[in-house]
């Protein structure tokens, strides 16, 4: 197995675990501390906003490479094993679904329309 394929596999597991942590946070069997950590880590991992912007050379990707995996590792240790297993299965099935580019285009179009409407409203003031 090449280094590149190992890195891709690691990135897929991180992504799956980020979604699994989100599902685990919604499970009533998860302790409250794990829920709070899970929501914070999942929100940060799935958010387009980073602590250190990606355009800053080297440091920009440092948070993605270090903070997210460390946060996931921490929260996974607080989640009961049966909850984590079920959450990983849900995450894997969700990520295996085909993506609808038409739906994505509609969502982007709605956001653009809202921004244009806001800009026109702002300009008319």
């Amino acid at each position: 197995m090449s280094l590149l394929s190992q890195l891709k596999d690691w990135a897929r597991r991180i992504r799956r675990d980020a979604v699994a942590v989100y599902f685990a946070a919604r499970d009533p069997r998860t302790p409250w501390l794990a829920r709070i950590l899970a929501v914070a880590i999942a929100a940060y991992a799935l958010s387009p906003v980073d602590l250190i912007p990606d355009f800053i050379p080297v440091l920009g990707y440092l948070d993605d490479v270090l903070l997210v995996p460390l946060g996931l590792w921490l929260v996974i240790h607080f989640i009961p094993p049966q909850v984590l297993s079920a959450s990983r299965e849900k995450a894997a099935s969700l990520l295996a679904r085909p993506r609808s580019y038409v739906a994505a285009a509609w969502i982007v179009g709605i956001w653009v329309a809202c921004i244009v409407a806001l800009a026109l409203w702002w300009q008319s003031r």
Side-chain angles (χ1 to χ4, degrees), residues 34-108:
R35 285 181 180 201
I36 293 169
L37 284 172
V39 168
I41 297 300
Y44 183 78
L46 301 174
S47 171
V49 179
D50 287 341
L51 183 65
I52 303 169
D54 289 342
F55 63 83
I56 297 174
V58 180
L59 292 177
Y61 292 106
L62 191 62
D63 64 337
D64 295 330
V65 174
L66 290 178
L67 292 180
V68 172
L70 287 174
L72 286 172
W73 175 81
L74 177 68
V75 77
I76 283 171
H77 287 293
F78 286 110
I79 297 172
Q82 66 276 16
V83 174
L84 183 61
S85 176
S87 298
R88 281 181 170 160
E89 288 176 21
K90 282 183 189 177
S93 68
L94 178 73
L95 294 173
R97 287 185 191 167
R99 288 157 185 83
S100 172
Y101 294 109
V102 173
W106 271 101
I107 291 170
V108 169

